[in-house]
């Protein structure tokens, strides 16, 4: 079935460091891909998405590029802030309207001042 | 725009008891999802509704879990009887419809502890 594999955490960085969180997905079809973020005490919310190959999603300084050839959607940010501390989830949409979305297990990011 | 509402936020019950969760999606959203999120894992879909019809319930333990979405708006998820392994956060989400490119909007979740 469809699956998403996410880089295991936790990840601890100093402020202004470069962030990469790896995400790969099973290559059946061309699903839309998402990164969701869960800040402490809050619900999941969409961070960015890409709906077709080579698309780049971006928001709040975060970017991720839909790479069909490597079936990847890695999340990057050039300079993290303390406020970016959260749990990040990679997700893939189903191939059809009757399918279900699949989420990775989440990566916890802690940014220290 | 009001977000997805869920209640209660927290619930503690003993095993073999029953519990019910309620969800009110964003107005106009046709698709509603219930997820189970066990600590340290990503959300796992339990059931997906399109209006008041079930699209997918393949991962719903139907011997103890049930869900309904009357009139295609609010939804309730019930567990009866609960087991220790049901301890998790239950998330409700909604989207405009079930096209894969649409984002899902999540509620704050209900944290269930079964003792």
């Amino acid at each position: 079935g469809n699956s998403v594999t996410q880089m295991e955490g936790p990840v601890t960085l100093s402020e202004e460091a470069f962030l990469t969180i790896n995400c790969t997905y099973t290559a059946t079809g061309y699903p839309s891909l998402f990164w969701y973020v869960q800040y402490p005490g809050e619900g999941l919310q969409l961070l960015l998405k890409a709906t077709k190959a080579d698309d780049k999603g971006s928001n709040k300084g975060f970017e991720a590029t839909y790479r069909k050839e490597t079936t990847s959607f890695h999340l990057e940010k050039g300079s993290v802030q303390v406020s970016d501390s959260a749990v990040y989830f990679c997700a893939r949409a189903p191939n059809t309207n009757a399918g279900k979305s699949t989420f990775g297990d989440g990566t916890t990011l802690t940014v220290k001042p | 725009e009001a977000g997805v509402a869920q209640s209660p936020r927290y619930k503690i019950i003993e095993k073999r008891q029953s519990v019910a969760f309620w969800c009110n999606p964003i107005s106009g959203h046709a698709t509603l999802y219930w997820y189970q999120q066990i600590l340290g894992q990503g959300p796992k879909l339990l059931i997906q509704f399109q209006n008041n019809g079930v699209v997918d319930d393949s991962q719903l333990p139907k011997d103890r879990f049930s869900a309904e979405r009357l009139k295609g708006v609010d939804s309730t998820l019930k567990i009866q009887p609960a087991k220790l392994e049901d301890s998790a956060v239950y998330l409700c989400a909604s989207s405009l419809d079930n096209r894969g490119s649409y984002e899902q909007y999540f509620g704050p979740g209900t944290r269930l502890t079964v003792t």
Side-chain angles (χ1 to χ4, degrees):
Chain A
N2 295 332
S3 68
V4 170
T5 302
Q6 207 175 318
M7 181 173 102
E8 287 188 19
V11 174
T12 302
L13 296 173
S14 297
E15 208 164 22
E16 299 183 2
F18 184 84
L19 168 71
T20 300
I21 300 177
N22 291 339
C23 172
T24 57
Y25 63 94
T26 50
T28 48
Y30 300 97
S32 293
L33 301 171
F34 304 83
W35 277 100
Y36 286 86
V37 60
Q38 186 170 28
Y39 297 106
E42 299 183 17
L44 275 81
Q45 58 187 273
L46 180 71
L47 179 60
L48 53 83
K49 72 177 186 182
T51 58
K52 60 183 188 293
D54 300 325
D55 264 4
K56 177 185 285 188
S58 61
N59 186 25
K60 298 181 181 181
F62 290 87
E63 292 183 340
T65 302
Y66 192 138
R67 302 283 187 200
K68 182 180 64 175
E69 62 277 9
T70 54
T71 63
S72 65
F73 192 55
H74 304 324
L75 182 69
E76 296 182 336
K77 186 172 186 181
S79 176
V80 293
Q81 304 300 312
V82 173
S83 57
D84 294 326
S85 297
V87 183
Y88 293 82
F89 294 91
C90 184
R92 62 160 286 164
N95 292 336
T96 69
N97 291 347
K100 55 181 175 288
S101 296
T102 306
F103 286 76
D105 283 338
T107 301
T108 300
L109 170 66
T110 301
V111 180
K112 297 191 172 180
Chain B
E1 166 181 271
V4 176
Q6 288 188 248
S7 68
R9 292 294 309 277
Y10 305 91
K11 191 74 178 179
I12 301 174
I13 61 173
E14 294 181 352
K15 59 183 179 183
R16 291 187 289 276
Q17 287 187 323
S18 62
V19 64
F21 311 127
W22 172 82
C23 173
N24 181 236
I26 291 174
S27 177
H29 280 195
T31 311
L32 186 147
Y33 314 78
W34 282 104
Y35 289 92
Q36 180 192 59
Q37 186 178 16
I38 293 173
L39 187 65
Q41 298 180 18
K44 181 184 85 170
L45 183 72
L46 292 176
I47 189 167
Q48 177 178 337
F49 292 94
Q50 180 68 9
N51 296 308
N52 58 355
V54 175
V55 173
D56 189 300
D57 63 356
S58 57
Q59 299 187 113
L60 186 75
K62 298 180 186 65
D63 58 334
R64 298 184 300 106
F65 287 63
S66 64
E68 61 181 8
R69 190 183 185 196
L70 299 175
K71 301 181 181 178
V73 182
D74 293 8
S75 177
T76 55
L77 175 70
K78 296 179 182 177
I79 307 175
Q80 182 180 7
K83 292 185 175 180
L84 294 176
E85 60 259 36
D86 298 331
S87 295
V89 177
Y90 291 84
L91 300 169
C92 179
S94 70
S95 62
L96 203 56
D97 75 15
N98 61 354
R99 253 176 279 181
S101 58
Y102 284 133
E103 70 175 281
Q104 297 179 35
Y105 294 80
F106 286 83
T110 297
R111 183 176 299 276
L112 174 68
T113 302
V114 182
T115 63

